[in-house]
Amino acid sequence: MGREIKRNSDAEGRSAVSSALSRGLNLLVAFIDAPVWLSNSDLVEKTSFPAPTVARLTRSLADMGLLHYSTKRRRYRLAAGVMQLGGSAEGGVGLIESVRPLIQQFADQHLVHVSLAALDGAGARIVEVFHSSSTLVTLRLESGYVLPLAGTATGHALLSCLPIERREPLIGELALRHPHAWPALRKAMMAAFEEVKRNGYTRSMGSWYTDINAVAAPLHCPHHDAIMSIACSGPAQHLPPERLEEVGHALVPLAEALCSRAAEELQTYAGH
């Protein structure tokens, strides 16, 4: 008799988990073909879920890195973590489709591997990659891959985007994660912040992998809350220091153009 009760209890537990998972996925699906930002009220209307259920689900999904909440807009959008489910967070992290031709043209022109990354917790999640069609040089860096923030050009560029009140706690967390290497990592990070201030980009040579060099620029998009950067990387023999500087100078106006295009797309969404 006791065993029978336990089986029923287990079944009820699995049913409850299944129901919560189903509702969470339905909530994420509501963002498809919708404006970038949705409020809890919008989600109640789209899903017909009770308001308390929606509020609980959005908080949980935000804690999991699947939704991002803007205190200024008081709305949610898809976050980079959605890519872990095999979905696409493109509409929420930079309207990639609208800027894809510009980035591909840059990759082809400069014969480099280009990646877009978004801040995802204490990591830099690759959102999209672009390979030059004019060279066989490529990297094993694909969408969904998470780069470390400390010690990479991509990570340093992302950190440089953050206001000081958000940056300092995150740097403190990174210090705890890398206690032994932290003095060297912090020195490189501070130098990178100064390089971004001075040139608009930052470089790293052999810090991620010893034979890989990279240059990255932050995406300062005032009309978009996502913290993002754009980077070019490649084998050190293909991207020596002098070429990194050349590509870096070209990367800054590209970053500005991407933010301008993203602002235009957001205005289009707002007008619908």
Side-chain angles (χ1 to χ4, degrees), residues 248-261:
H249 283 305
L251 197 60
V252 175
L254 174 65
E256 294 172 351
L258 298 185
C259 285
S260 296
R261 183 69 62 88

Side-chain angles (χ1 to χ4, degrees), residues 93-143:
V93 295
L95 305 169
I96 293 174
E97 286 303 323
S98 66
V99 299
R100 187 182 298 276
L102 289 177
I103 302 176
Q104 187 60 58
Q105 181 181 9
F106 186 92
D108 292 338
Q109 179 180 351
H110 294 276
L111 307 178
V112 290
H113 176 284
V114 184
S115 59
L116 283 174
L119 184 66
D120 188 8
R125 185 172 298 280
I126 302 301
V127 178
E128 186 61 282
V129 297
F130 302 82
H131 302 277
S132 170
S133 59
S134 303
T135 178
L136 296 178
V137 174
T138 186
L139 296 176
R140 290 184 178 180
L141 188 65
E142 298 299 335
S143 299

Side-chain angles (χ1 to χ4, degrees), residues 119-230:
L119 184 66
D120 188 8
R125 185 172 298 280
I126 302 301
V127 178
E128 186 61 282
V129 297
F130 302 82
H131 302 277
S132 170
S133 59
S134 303
T135 178
L136 296 178
V137 174
T138 186
L139 296 176
R140 290 184 178 180
L141 188 65
E142 298 299 335
S143 299
Y145 189 90
V146 179
L147 288 170
L149 288 178
T152 66
T154 292
H156 294 164
L158 285 173
L159 287 168
S160 75
C161 291
L162 292 172
I164 194 70
E165 63 270 15
R166 288 188 61 189
R167 184 196 299 173
E168 288 304 316
L170 187 49
I171 289 178
E173 181 180 344
L174 294 174
L176 294 176
R177 292 186 177 211
H178 310 282
H180 301 298
W182 186 244
L185 287 174
R186 188 182 187 282
K187 182 179 179 180
M189 190 181 296
M190 296 302 113
F193 294 161
E194 290 301 316
E195 189 175 23
V196 170
K197 286 182 182 179
R198 186 172 61 250
N199 299 325
Y201 63 84
T202 181
R203 295 164 294 169
S204 67
M205 286 160 278
S207 57
W208 176 41
Y209 284 113
T210 55
D211 60 341
I212 299 295
N213 289 346
V215 58
L219 292 177
H220 292 293
C221 302
H223 302 290
H224 207 289
D225 286 346
I227 305 299
M228 297 189 69
S229 67
I230 183 168

Side-chain angles (χ1 to χ4, degrees), residues 25-57:
L25 292 175
N26 282 332
L27 201 73
L28 293 175
V29 169
F31 283 86
I32 298 176
D33 296 328
V36 174
W37 297 93
L38 292 176
S39 66
N40 278 349
S41 297
D42 296 329
L43 291 166
V44 167
E45 182 178 346
K46 284 180 168 292
T47 62
S48 299
F49 294 160
T53 298
V54 168
R56 185 172 64 253
L57 286 171

